[in-house]
Every structure is written in structure tokens, then in C-alpha cells.
Amino acid sequence: MAEFEREQRIPVDPQAVFDVARDVNSMEAWLPDGLQVESSGPERVTGRVSIGDEIDEAEGYLAAVPEQRRLEWGDLEGAGYSGWLQVDEDGPGSSRVVLHLDVRGEHPGAVGGEAHELTDEYLGQALERLAALAADRVT
């Protein structure tokens, strides 16, 4: 298993950042390229990862814990991806967002090399996009 974690400070109120992050309909705007998520029921999502000509699709869960401003997700089989996003206050009108991802099994991101490095970059990209989207929503 490989673990990835990135942190970003965002000059937007934490509740506003969390509201943007948990909106399944807006996730594609901040998730890394090639990753799509759509609702498939209460706390259920279908995730698609496109890498080149390969498309991997899996059913998963997405749970929001509003009082903690936390999202948790993973595949239902428990053999691939899981993670969480936590939004905390970082001073007046500012947030600290931590994005954590666990990759299990034979997934390229779990075994090192270029895929491992790309996965880490994608987390940073996702946080940058979330920051921009949250800033746009409050202005």
C-alpha cells in the first residue's frame, strides 16, 4: 500500500471550501484530469479513472461528515483506493485543507516509479483546483 498526503492553505472560509468539495456535481472541476465521479445513490458514487486508452470503473462510497468538514471515500471492494479530505479553520476567513489517499493492491500508484510520482502531483493539482473553485464561488 502507498499513502499520499498533501496540504493546502486556502484564503476562503472553511465551510465554503467544504461545501464546494463535497458537491459531487462540481467534483470534476477540481479532481485531477482523467478522474470522474458521479452519484449512484445515497453515499454511493461511480468513479472512472482514464489513463490513456484504459478506463477503470468502480463503485464506491463517498461520505460527508459535515460537523467535522470531512469527506471520506473508497471503493466498495476495499482493494483499490480510499482516502479523505479534511477542511479546518486556519485563521479568520482562511482554511487548511488536507487531502489523503491510500492506494492498495497492484495499482501502479502503489508500487512506485512514475505512477507514484504522478499520483502525488495529482493531489497537489486537485488542491490547487479546489482553491481556485472555492475562491471563484465566494467572489
Side-chain angles (χ1 to χ4, degrees), residues 16-120:
V17 174
F18 180 70
D19 289 343
V20 169
R22 73 177 176 173
D23 180 2
V24 175
N25 295 320
S26 296
M27 282 185 177
E28 196 169 328
W30 66 268
L31 291 173
D33 294 337
L35 180 57
Q36 298 173 323
V37 176
E38 66 182 43
S39 179
S40 56
E43 293 194 353
R44 295 288 185 256
V45 291
T46 301
R48 286 180 203 81
V49 179
S50 303
I51 301 173
D53 292 337
E54 276 187 54
I55 298 176
D56 187 20
E57 184 173 304
E59 293 299 313
Y61 66 91
L62 175 65
V65 186
E67 61 276 4
Q68 296 176 6
R69 291 189 299 264
R70 183 178 178 93
L71 293 176
E72 297 178 355
W73 64 85
D75 66 77
L76 293 177
E77 297 173 7
Y81 299 93
S82 65
W84 50 266
L85 179 134
Q86 179 73 44
V87 182
D88 293 312
E89 186 173 344
D90 189 41
S94 188
S95 304
R96 175 181 165 266
V97 181
V98 177
L99 180 57
H100 180 92
L101 181 66
D102 294 320
V103 183
R104 292 182 291 283
E106 300 294 320
H107 293 286
V111 296
E114 184 179 349
H116 189 92
E117 291 174 18
L118 282 173
T119 300
D120 188 54

